[in-house]
Amino acid sequence: MKRLTRDHIHHTFSPSHVPTLFVQQNENFVVETLDCFGGAITPDNPLADPPYRTLNPVTGPIYIEGAHVGDVLAVTMHDII
């Protein structure tokens, strides 16, 4: 199964970001993400000063083969760990 790891993040949404994972329609895959603070707050450091300039990192982009601009995509999350 394909996996997109959390080291492929961006802090903006932009059409200029190059896809980091290519999948077929109806293909299952795994996406690793960071929390909204980018992992800055941990059990060992619960009061960390969040990196406000890099809040809400996004993993990807993911290219869905056969999808076109304007298509509506249905996504099913099978598990959250």
Side-chain angles (χ1 to χ4, degrees), residues 58-75:
V58 295
T59 305
I62 300 168
Y63 186 91
I64 311 298
E65 301 283 352
H68 298 94
V69 173
D71 285 354
V72 175
L73 304 178
V75 177

Side-chain angles (χ1 to χ4, degrees), residues 11-31:
H11 295 98
T12 60
F13 290 99
S14 172
S16 68
H17 296 315
V18 177
T20 54
L21 182 68
F22 291 81
V23 297
Q24 298 295 319
Q25 293 181 29
N26 300 311
E27 179 179 356
N28 291 334
F29 55 94
V30 175
V31 177

Side-chain angles (χ1 to χ4, degrees), residues 18-56:
V18 177
T20 54
L21 182 68
F22 291 81
V23 297
Q24 298 295 319
Q25 293 181 29
N26 300 311
E27 179 179 356
N28 291 334
F29 55 94
V30 175
V31 177
E32 298 177 3
T33 63
L34 294 170
D35 62 29
C36 68
F37 297 118
I41 297 175
T42 65
D44 295 332
N45 195 11
L47 300 176
D49 187 23
Y52 291 104
R53 298 187 71 186
T54 57
L55 291 180
N56 296 318

